[in-house]
Amino acid sequence: MNSQWARRVVLAIFGTTLLFATSQVLAADLPLLKLTTEEGGGQTWSLNIRILILMTVLTLIPAMVLSMTSFTRIIVVLAIMRQALGTQQTPSNNILLGLALFLSLFVMAPVFEQSFNEGLKPYLDDQMDEATALQRGAEPLIRFMVEQTREADIELFANIAGVEQIDSPEQTPFKILIPAFVISELKTAFQIGFLIFIPFVIIDLVVASVLMSMGMMMLSPMIISLPFKIMLFVLVDGWALISATLVSSFYGVQP
């Protein structure tokens, strides 16, 4: 009971403080949504609304990384590779996420650099307004997503959205391009994962057949095949091979 009353008192104090702070802001008549027209004809929002937009974009960064970059394909392939290897939780999820994140940064570095040079840098140098900078900065990312997205997936979501005609792939709306890109990335990741699975399945079949022929049916084939799969993976330098294959799959370069 005492803890419940303590929480109620804290919430009451917090609510009173928040109400007081809000009244002070309203009393100060701050230009929260002020739109200023510049001499050249452009329009600029007030500093407060810019900060609000920036904070909103920061909260969307995790979703953007998951659905608009190479992260999806990489993390799915790495997860399938671990499953095929049969090492359960080794490497751990944190290690796979870290590897996928930095491989994604490596793949997306040219795209981010081009976005910075074409959008953010001119905006910081006061050479263009926010809307133009946002449009110019998004163009490299759109081109990257279009190159990795299958036309069939774009047509699928365009039909679902009721969009009859798209003049060019680069003009595909984000509401169509993003889900089509994610579906294409998942399909490509499973295709790569299937090719990774084949040699490990062959090792499991060989070990299981040998154990059956020796009459050792009570012994789990996974226990015997695991060292052989790890040895094979190390001998072919599996981590470097998979990393090179994933990176080259985005730009069509042979590893």
Side-chain angles (χ1 to χ4, degrees):
M1 293 296 294
N2 293 333
S3 60
Q4 293 180 357
W5 278 106
R7 285 197 296 267
R8 293 177 181 177
V9 171
V10 171
L11 290 175
I13 295 175
F14 177 76
T16 304
T17 305
L18 182 62
L19 181 61
F20 177 77
T22 304
S23 62
Q24 293 297 319
V25 170
L26 295 176
D29 193 19
L30 295 177
L32 295 177
L33 298 176
K34 184 177 181 181
L35 184 63
T36 305
T37 303
E38 299 178 350
E39 296 180 357
Q43 295 180 337
T44 304
W45 291 98
S46 62
L47 179 60
N48 295 317
I49 195 64
R50 292 182 186 177
I51 295 175
L52 179 61
I53 294 175
L54 177 61
M55 296 301 295
T56 303
V57 171
L58 290 177
T59 59
L60 295 176
I61 286 180
M64 295 172 63
V65 170
L66 290 175
S67 59
M68 300 175 65
T69 66
S70 59
F71 183 84
T72 300
R73 182 189 304 183
I74 294 174
I75 190 61
V76 170
V77 171
L78 292 179
I80 294 176
M81 183 273 305
R82 184 178 65 180
Q83 184 70 23
L85 196 58
T87 54
Q88 302 300 325
Q89 296 298 321
T90 304
S92 64
N93 293 332
N94 293 333
I95 295 176
L96 291 184
L97 288 172
L99 178 60
L101 178 60
F102 283 102
L103 285 177
S104 300
L105 291 176
F106 182 82
V107 172
M108 301 299 296
V111 179
F112 292 154
E113 183 178 359
Q114 190 174 2
S115 297
F116 176 80
N117 293 330
E118 295 182 4
L120 183 59
K121 189 175 184 298
Y123 171 72
L124 296 177
D125 295 338
D126 295 330
Q127 297 178 0
M128 61 178 62
D129 56 7
E130 294 92 339
T132 306
L134 182 61
Q135 180 181 1
R136 296 283 181 85
E139 289 177 356
L141 182 60
I142 293 175
R143 287 195 295 268
F144 171 81
M145 295 174 64
V146 168
E147 291 174 357
Q148 306 301 325
T149 306
R150 295 174 175 82
E151 294 183 0
D153 295 327
I154 295 179
E155 293 178 357
L156 170 65
F157 286 97
N159 294 332
I160 295 175
V163 178
E164 298 181 356
Q165 182 179 1
I166 299 176
D167 297 333
S168 64
E170 287 75 13
Q171 296 181 356
T172 305
F174 268 113
K175 67 177 182 179
I176 297 175
L177 181 58
I178 293 178
F181 173 75
V182 174
I183 294 299
S184 295
E185 287 294 281
L186 289 175
K187 183 176 181 179
T188 304
F190 276 90
Q191 290 175 345
I192 298 175
F194 171 77
L195 297 177
I196 293 175
F197 235 106
I198 291 178
F200 297 107
V201 171
I202 293 175
I203 294 177
D204 288 333
L205 291 176
V206 171
V207 171
S209 299
V210 172
L211 292 178
M212 288 286 292
S213 63
M214 296 175 62
M216 304 175 64
M217 292 177 293
M218 299 301 295
L219 182 61
S220 174
M222 294 296 296
I223 299 177
I224 307 300
S225 63
L226 181 59
F228 290 98
K229 290 191 288 187
I230 294 177
M231 181 182 64
L232 174 65
F233 192 74
V234 172
L235 288 177
V236 299
D237 199 5
W239 290 110
L241 185 60
I242 289 178
S243 300
T245 302
L246 285 172
V247 171
S248 62
S249 66
F250 289 96
Y251 296 105
V253 179
Q254 294 297 328

